[in-house]
Amino acid sequence: MAKLAATLPPIRYRRPPPSFLKRLTHPFIAPFKEVLGGPNLEHCDHRRVDCGVVEVEFYLPASYFGGGSKFPESVDLENNPTPQIAYNDRTGHDILRLGVSNWKYGRPRLEPTRFLPIPQDPYVIVTTFWQLERVKNGLCLEVGNMAMLEQYLMDDYYAHLESEGGQNWKIRAETQAELEPRGWDQESIDEQIAIQLFDPPKRYEPLVFNSAGWLRHIWAPRQNYPKALNYTCALTPQFLLTVSFDLTEMTGASLEHWWSPLVEDSEILMQGVKLHYKDLPQP
């Protein structure tokens, strides 16, 4: 862990203090430009979950809607906690959730469409999960080894999408079976298949928060539109810890308005995630 922190630049993200001119003009400009919403950082549940060899500390913002779910105070990783099933459109890991929060980003107060007589949906709804994910196939990862973690994630996404029964495998088989009897030539069938396929993450960005190494990657399965912003670390050799910011776009073509605020807020929340190891786990 110490070696990792020495080789990767740590994130020291804070919103920089605004310039005098910006402070002066902010009250006049914000109603027209400032995207509303974001996590409720002033009302957070400070959580510390005992996972046996490590305690996971994080801040869980109050949800804007729903809520009321109970989450474990302790987890016995060595005796196989009862998992839930992760979303099939990601990787299908067995998971155990430690916390869930949600919020939204919406239009500025004086954005022109607010004055139209139509329903004003938010730009996007964000549902954030702090969750444990069991490493598949009995593999053991080395805590702090970012290259090994990246290779595992790349291999897992590929296997989940491309192996027999995977999403891309089903798309190819079902589209071929549907279009071939209708007289489509193979080139046209291949083109139709290509636009339906799910793409794995294209880039894994190594970051350090509180001396722990994380990989940030975007799940954008189709047309490069992000469906989740994920931060993953190897918590123990058998378990990953993932903080996943799942995205539901409510207003089309709004990505340019809310993506930067989302990344900023995600980094603020990641600064509150701390891993307290009792004994350094061995692979």
Side-chain angles (χ1 to χ4, degrees), residues 158-275:
Y158 180 84
H160 182 69
L161 294 174
E162 301 293 344
S163 61
E164 185 173 353
Q167 289 174 306
N168 286 347
W169 183 92
K170 290 178 181 178
I171 289 170
R172 292 187 180 94
E174 291 171 0
T175 305
Q176 188 76 32
E178 177 188 357
L179 300 182
E180 192 172 29
R182 292 163 57 181
W184 285 51
D185 62 85
Q186 191 58 50
E187 182 178 353
S188 298
I189 293 175
D190 290 342
E191 290 177 356
Q192 188 66 24
I193 289 173
I195 64 176
Q196 300 180 68
L197 294 179
F198 287 79
D199 293 325
K202 295 179 172 61
R203 180 170 178 259
Y204 296 87
E205 181 182 5
L207 302 171
V208 174
F209 296 97
N210 300 309
S211 300
W214 297 78
L215 288 179
R216 177 163 66 190
H217 58 285
I218 299 170
W219 169 241
R222 286 179 172 166
Q223 301 178 359
N224 293 320
Y225 179 78
K227 297 295 289 181
L229 175 66
N230 300 312
Y231 295 79
T232 298
C233 76
L235 184 68
T236 73
Q238 291 81 32
F239 281 88
L240 309 175
L241 175 61
T242 293
V243 184
S244 180
F245 298 81
D246 286 25
L247 309 169
T248 303
E249 185 187 33
M250 305 299 291
T251 306
S254 64
L255 178 66
E256 63 179 299
H257 300 294
W258 56 263
W259 180 254
S260 292
L262 169 68
V263 174
E264 292 179 1
D265 290 334
S266 74
E267 291 182 350
I268 289 173
L269 286 172
M270 289 304 299
Q271 290 177 63
V273 181
K274 298 180 181 179
L275 309 180

Side-chain angles (χ1 to χ4, degrees), residues 7-62:
T7 57
L8 292 176
I11 290 292
R12 302 187 185 281
Y13 183 85
R14 295 289 186 277
R15 287 195 175 98
S19 66
F20 173 76
L21 180 60
K22 189 170 184 179
R23 292 198 304 271
L24 189 64
T25 59
H26 182 266
F28 305 101
I29 295 177
F32 297 94
K33 291 189 175 181
E34 187 173 51
V35 173
L36 300 180
N40 192 346
L41 298 174
E42 295 184 357
H43 297 88
C44 290
D45 179 16
H46 181 203
R47 305 213 65 226
R48 190 157 174 158
V49 183
D50 187 346
C51 297
V53 298
V54 58
E55 289 186 344
V56 178
E57 178 184 5
F58 62 97
Y59 290 86
L60 183 66

Side-chain angles (χ1 to χ4, degrees), residues 69-89:
S69 300
K70 299 296 183 181
F71 303 105
E73 298 295 331
S74 62
V75 178
D76 186 359
L77 295 183
E78 296 190 2
N79 291 316
N80 300 322
T82 302
Q84 302 169 7
I85 301 301
Y87 294 111
N88 289 330
D89 62 352

